[in-house]
Each structure stands twice: as C-alpha cells, then as structure tokens.
Amino acid sequence: MRQVQELSITLSLSAISFVLLMVTVLLGASSVWRDIERRYLASVLTLPISRTVFLLGRFCGIACFIALCGVVLGAAAAVIISVSSAQYPSDIPIHWDKIGLALLADIAKYIMLASVGIFFSTVSTSFYFPFFASIGIYLAGSGSQEVYEYVSGQFGKEMGSVSVALFKAVYYLIPNFAAFDLKVPAIYGVPVLPAGLGLTFSYAVLYCAILLCVSSYTFSRRQFP
C-alpha cells in the first residue's frame, strides 16, 4: 500500500505497453490490406518503385509512428511518476535509465510485432486474419519462454520426444517477446547486463529482417485483382 512510486512505474509501463499493442496491431494488420482493398496500391505501383520498396516504406512508417507514440507516452509517464513519487517518497530511488531501457525494449518489441502483422497482411485478403493472427502471435510469444522452461524441465522427461521437439520448434519459430520485459529492473533498479541487452536488440533486428525478407518475397509473387 505504501509502494506508490513502484506502483506508478508499473502501471505507467503497462499502460504504455497496452496502447502500443493496440496501435501496432491495428496499423500492422490494416496498412497493406487497406491499400489493396481501396486500390491505392494499383496507382502506387505505377510509379518507378518496386513492391519491396513499398513494403519497406510501410514498415518504416509504422515503426516510426510506434517509436513516436512510445516517446510521447513515456514523457507523460515521466510526469506521472515524478508527481506520485514526490507525494509519497520511496526508499528506492527512481532509475530513469532503467525506465528508458524498458520503454525502448517495449518499442523494439512492438516493431517486431508490426513486422509480423505486415507479413500476415501480405498473404491475407481480409483484415481479420492479420488482426487476430497478430494478437495470437503476441500472446504465444509472451508466454513461450515459460512453456519452454517447463518442457525442458522434469515435465519434459515425462513427455514424448516428438512432443518436446515440437514445442521447442515452435518456441524458436515465434518471436520471444518475454525477453523484452524489463519492468522489474525499471521498478527496483536491478542491474541489466549489457551483453544480454545487446543480444536482445540484435535478436529484434534480425527477426524483423528475416520476416521482412519473407514478406517481400510473398508480396512480390502475389496477384492483385
């Protein structure tokens, strides 16, 4: 009841994460599909640009918008955290650098999710499949680490080797969003290893690059009415 500062940081980061999730899913699932549905793409492709350039432009625009939303919401959260901590001081100092890292990790996570949404948009003819598929991937990727550790432990020895291999294959296939959860270091100032942090952001860049390459390939081979 007296951890007002810690609670304000938790709720602020959670609220930012929820807003970014909604923005990412809506933009990632609808941007390409809307251009195809309203025949904007047909006029754009008459210009001297390739489908790959168009797709990368869409992704970069969505990524910039997500980053801008994260910065604006982070500034608002900083004001709320400062006011609440001033009214109810805590023994734990505010670690603004850790809060900034947590916000940056959230932005990277949702940029990854945007690449997932764009991929589903390139193979779908409706808005609903990319929308719900992106949400499903987000939920699966948020809990995949716990499932992997559970299967790799004692419980995995009681399962068949084929089932364990299947679980692990899915774990490596879908994005691991749990690696981007830095709320605990932001709240309590727990040290974050630079090597692990660099590996996490490198993973985000590599996953987006691979998924965009696959999206570009499927989008370039797609026939439009």
Side-chain angles (χ1 to χ4, degrees), residues 101-207:
L101 281 177
L103 180 60
L104 186 62
D106 264 354
I107 292 174
K109 175 175 69 175
Y110 290 114
I111 289 176
M112 281 180 61
L113 184 61
S115 67
V116 174
I118 286 180
F119 167 71
F120 286 127
S121 294
T122 59
V123 298
S124 174
T125 58
S126 68
F127 166 77
Y128 299 102
F129 174 70
F131 180 80
F132 290 109
S134 298
I135 293 178
I137 291 294
Y138 174 77
L139 295 176
S142 299
S144 62
Q145 185 65 40
E146 297 179 0
V147 175
Y148 176 80
E149 294 175 356
Y150 187 66
V151 171
S152 301
Q154 183 64 33
F155 179 75
K157 298 178 181 179
E158 302 175 0
M159 299 176 60
S161 58
V162 177
S163 299
V164 174
L166 180 61
F167 275 112
K168 291 184 177 181
V170 173
Y171 167 77
Y172 287 112
L173 182 62
I174 63 176
N176 185 2
F177 293 125
F180 297 86
D181 188 2
L182 301 180
K183 289 186 178 64
V184 173
I187 297 169
Y188 299 104
V190 178
V192 179
L193 296 178
L197 196 63
L199 184 63
T200 299
F201 285 103
S202 299
Y203 168 75
V205 173
L206 183 61
Y207 197 94

Side-chain angles (χ1 to χ4, degrees), residues 56-97:
L56 291 178
R58 274 298 183 190
F59 172 75
C60 291
I62 294 173
C64 290
F65 188 78
I66 293 172
L68 180 61
C69 287
V71 171
V72 173
L73 294 174
V79 174
I80 295 173
I81 294 170
S82 300
V83 171
S84 61
S85 61
Q87 293 180 349
Y88 301 94
S90 174
D91 296 333
I92 303 175
I94 301 177
H95 298 273
W96 293 110
D97 56 338

Side-chain angles (χ1 to χ4, degrees), residues 12 23 56 74 216:
S12 297
V23 169
L56 291 178
S216 175

Side-chain angles (χ1 to χ4, degrees), residues 2 11 19 30 37 42 68-70 76 79 83 88-89 95 98-99 111 133 136 169 185 187 195 212-213 221:
R2 296 296 180 181
L11 294 179
V19 173
S30 65
E37 182 70 17
L68 180 61
C69 287
V79 174
V83 171
Y88 301 94
H95 298 273
K98 302 293 191 309
I99 295 176
I111 289 176
I187 297 169
L212 287 175
C213 288
R221 297 176 63 86

